[in-house]
Amino acid sequence: MKIRNILVIAGSFIFGFSTCLVFLTFNSTGTTSLNLYDFDQNILLHSDNEDAKIDATDDDDLQNNNITDTSNQILNIGHDVLHELNILTGGYDGSKELKCPHPLVPFHNRIIRNENDKNNRTETVQMIPKIFHISMKSRCVPRDYAMYLDRWKEKLPNYSIFFHDDEAVAKLIDLEWQSYPELHTAMKCVIFKGAMTIDIWRVLVLLKYGGLYSDIDNWPMDIFTEEKIPSNVSAFFFHDAYNRPTQHFMALEPNHPMLDMSMKIIIQNILNMERVSSPKVVFVTGPNALKWGYFTFLSSKCCNGILTTAKVFENDVVLEGFLGKTVLKARGLDDYVVGKLFFNDIVPYNATLNVTRQQRITMDSGVKHWQAEVKKQAKSETTPNESCKDYLQGLSSGKISESEKFS
């Protein structure tokens, strides 16, 4: 069995306010390289997040100054996270008047605020904020996904819900990320704007705001409740079929070091791609990249010094990692959250045509699975076939002009 890009923690060092992790990367050629990852602890500090209790269907209360207590979602730096997210995602500028062509259905953000005096509260403070992030191409969603979103509203009654369309995703990625100076350079090599972009975005959105992310085609089962995400951990996942932390369902507090490490790994994976036209998405930006971020995060402090993959990827045990942050990876994914449930049901597309629900979603949205899109575009003569480094060099030297860039 060929093992590629295995990370072995060699040591950690603390200098003032910064902490460095040093590890070796073993590549497929048998050579090793020493990597120094620097994590700024000042960036990783954030305030506790209180539970949210009061339901509000929009953010007009901000304009009318009717909010008496928004401590739940205001960080130490003094800005209102819910308001910021509502603006970022386009929920503040008239999405309520959004008209969608039949049979698409408009989806609007839901904002829930806490007006209770936190000094009178007795329940445990939730580390992970009650913010739910969902994403798709447009706020005009297929009728079947509208059903899925209604289900999430029902199962997460105390969560604010923010819908990030393609424009909102691009806005977030385009921000200045001082901790990731190579991010925007690496993004030039992400020529397929579907799955890889969302892989990067979901790490960034949880880094910045925290909360719960789920793929839009996940269905929470009857047994699933808000309480499944424990209040005493800074990160929560289920385990997938390969015992990796689930990328399609994950909940973390803001500025989590595991996500910081994952983002740095993703950026380096992109820059080291051998062919930008045929990326191995699962390994470059997908579940395997998150897996090694998880491994790196836990390896500095995990398991009483006994560093084995069995220990690091143990399930149903709260583990402590970098900066003393705790994580839980739970069994039972299919008991709580099921992907693509009901997709094989036969449903009417129109008065004369019956199709599967999955086919109807594709027909309504026009969105194809990322693997089909990559295969299609990889065959195009206009798709660049260079490594990321060569592609970037071509852009820099002018050998590849702006008009020839793939989009």
Side-chain angles (χ1 to χ4, degrees), residues 176-394:
E176 183 180 355
W177 295 90
Q178 294 182 357
S179 297
Y180 315 112
E182 294 183 298
L183 172 63
H184 294 151
T185 298
M187 288 302 298
K188 295 177 182 178
C189 289
V190 180
I191 62 176
F192 302 108
K193 303 305 181 186
M196 292 181 75
T197 298
I198 292 300
D199 286 345
I200 294 161
W201 165 81
R202 71 180 117 203
V203 172
L204 292 176
V205 76
L206 292 179
L207 258 170
K208 187 170 178 63
Y209 299 109
L212 166 64
Y213 166 82
S214 172
D215 282 359
I216 197 170
D217 57 11
N218 281 337
W219 180 271
M221 304 298 283
D222 289 343
I223 195 174
F224 179 86
T225 66
E226 295 179 358
E227 288 70 33
K228 182 59 183 175
I229 301 174
S231 61
N232 65 335
V233 298
S234 66
F236 174 80
F237 309 84
F238 289 104
H239 77 83
D240 69 10
Y242 299 93
N243 203 31
R244 301 170 300 201
T246 46
Q247 185 192 37
H248 59 84
F249 179 98
M250 53 182 178
L252 299 95
E253 66 179 2
N255 304 305
H256 200 285
M258 182 218 146
L259 292 177
D260 181 64
M261 296 171 186
S262 297
M263 194 69 249
K264 289 180 167 69
I265 289 170
I266 286 171
I267 291 170
Q268 291 306 309
N269 285 347
I270 294 172
L271 293 173
N272 290 329
M273 281 194 304
E274 296 178 357
R275 293 177 64 187
V276 296
S277 62
S278 53
K280 297 179 179 179
V281 177
V282 170
F283 297 93
V284 176
T285 61
N288 260 45
L290 190 76
K291 167 188 173 180
W292 290 119
Y294 184 85
F295 181 91
T296 308
F297 161 74
L298 284 173
S299 295
S300 65
K301 200 171 181 179
C302 177
C303 318
N304 296 318
I306 304 173
L307 184 59
T308 66
T309 54
K311 282 288 186 181
V312 171
F313 293 106
E314 192 172 5
N315 296 310
D316 294 328
V317 176
V318 176
L319 298 175
E320 184 178 343
F322 192 60
L323 298 182
K325 300 291 185 180
T326 53
V327 299
L328 174 64
K329 181 161 66 74
R331 291 188 179 93
L333 171 64
D334 289 341
D335 294 329
Y336 290 91
V337 179
V338 177
K340 298 179 172 59
L341 191 65
F342 312 123
F343 266 37
N344 292 325
D345 293 354
I346 302 299
V347 294
Y349 178 69
N350 54 33
T352 61
L353 178 63
N354 292 330
V355 296
T356 67
R357 192 179 302 276
Q358 183 173 18
Q359 289 172 326
R360 187 166 76 172
I361 289 171
T362 301
M363 295 164 76
D364 284 353
S365 67
V367 176
K368 299 179 181 179
H369 192 273
W370 66 266
Q371 288 177 327
E373 201 61 34
V374 167
K375 288 180 181 179
K376 175 184 175 182
Q377 296 297 345
K379 296 178 181 179
S380 171
E381 293 181 359
T382 61
T383 304
N385 200 32
E386 302 95 333
S387 69
C388 177
K389 292 177 181 177
D390 289 342
Y391 182 62
L392 292 173
Q393 187 176 5

Side-chain angles (χ1 to χ4, degrees), residues 75-88:
L75 302 186
N76 285 337
I77 54 178
H79 71 271
D80 181 351
V81 171
L82 296 183
H83 179 55
E84 181 177 310
L85 271 166
N86 206 29
I87 292 175
L88 173 71

